[in-house]
Amino acid sequence: MTGTQQFNGKVMVVPVIEDTVDKDTIYQTVTERYFLPRYSVDPNGRKGEDLCILYHSNKICVVTLARSHPVVREGKQVVKVDFSVSQKLNRLANKATGKGKKGAQFLQATSVLCMVECADGSSYKVYSCLTGKLVEVNERLVDRPQLIEERPHAEGFVAIVLPNFKNWEQQRDKLLTETQYQEHVKSRTSVQYSAASESEGNQLQMETG
């Protein structure tokens, strides 16, 4: 649909704005444009419970579930995201102020940020994966826990962490790049598929033997 407009006495045909946009173009999200993803696979020995750490140029990091995490990969129904990680420690009580994030809870790479509980009875610990200060946790997950599965790299992020300035590069470099992560997941999937095929073959042999 088009319209008309007069310019210097001439009538010009003006297309509507929707027709001027290339609908086939894939535009990057804010996360894709401004954050560099790194990955922690099998954190703390939790097989397959992979996490993604999004690095901003100002060194602030966003902790999220990776695409290969069971909650995201299997599209699980999340019923609760609990930031009360122990009887004495609630991440919602974190108060960070100023540029130095004074008063923030201090985190080790093995520190638990929250617990994710699913309708099928499964539960998962989400780790910091970084040494540093907790800037904030995503309080929206308390009322809308399903966001952690539906939009893990956007509204469903878990927490924002400020890594230790003295070794933030070393911490980053210990995590997998996007390419390394994809290769790892592909390799792990191949091993699982081979194991499953072998198991099925053994079962069939027992039934027919």
Side-chain angles (χ1 to χ4, degrees):
M1 184 176 180
T2 59
T4 59
Q5 182 175 339
Q6 285 193 353
F7 182 74
N8 290 340
K10 297 180 179 180
V11 177
M12 301 179 63
V13 177
V14 181
V16 295
I17 190 169
E18 290 86 351
D19 295 336
T20 64
V21 177
D22 185 354
K23 297 179 182 179
D24 294 327
T25 300
I26 300 177
Y27 296 96
Q28 290 184 314
T29 64
V30 172
T31 299
E32 292 170 334
R33 290 178 62 187
Y34 298 109
F35 289 83
L36 176 70
R38 291 294 176 112
Y39 297 88
S40 174
V41 297
D42 305 331
N44 283 1
R46 310 276 291 199
K47 295 294 185 182
E49 298 180 24
D50 307 329
L51 300 173
C52 177
I53 314 299
L54 300 170
Y55 274 83
H56 194 274
S57 58
N58 64 7
K59 300 182 179 62
I60 283 288
C61 296
V62 180
V63 181
T64 75
L65 300 188
R67 300 184 300 274
S68 52
H69 192 286
V71 169
V72 180
R73 185 183 72 247
E74 300 174 21
K76 293 195 174 191
Q77 181 182 353
V78 181
V79 295
K80 185 178 182 180
V81 176
D82 190 359
F83 289 104
S84 182
V85 297
S86 72
Q87 292 183 344
K88 297 182 178 181
L89 182 58
N90 191 330
R91 299 299 183 193
L92 292 172
N94 182 72
K95 301 297 180 183
T97 60
K99 291 184 178 181
K101 306 306 174 187
K102 184 178 179 180
Q105 295 175 8
F106 188 77
L107 301 169
Q108 299 287 350
T110 56
S111 297
V112 178
L113 293 173
C114 69
M115 294 288 297
V116 180
E117 300 177 12
C118 300
D120 63 1
S122 59
S123 63
Y124 305 91
K125 292 180 179 180
V126 178
Y127 297 97
S128 168
C129 301
L130 298 168
T131 298
K133 294 181 178 180
L134 179 62
V135 177
E136 67 175 84
V137 294
N138 187 1
E139 297 185 10
R140 281 180 291 186
L141 297 179
V142 175
D143 296 324
R144 300 179 61 190
Q146 195 60 30
L147 281 175
I148 201 172
E149 181 272 324
E150 295 174 347
R151 298 182 61 80
H153 290 188
E155 296 95 327
F157 76 93
V158 175
I160 298 175
V161 177
L162 180 64
N164 189 323
F165 281 165
K166 293 182 179 180
N167 65 354
W168 74 271
E169 289 181 314
Q170 292 91 325
Q171 292 193 66
R172 181 198 61 193
D173 294 342
K174 288 181 180 179
L175 301 170
L176 301 188
T177 65
E178 180 68 37
T179 299
Q180 291 170 331
Y181 165 70
Q182 291 182 15
E183 292 175 349
H184 178 87
V185 172
K186 183 178 180 180
S187 174
R188 185 169 61 195
T189 302
S190 298
V191 171
Q192 292 173 343
Y193 177 79
S194 297
S197 298
E198 183 178 354
S199 177
E200 291 175 1
N202 292 339
Q203 181 66 30
L204 180 60
Q205 186 175 10
M206 291 176 61
E207 292 175 352
T208 59

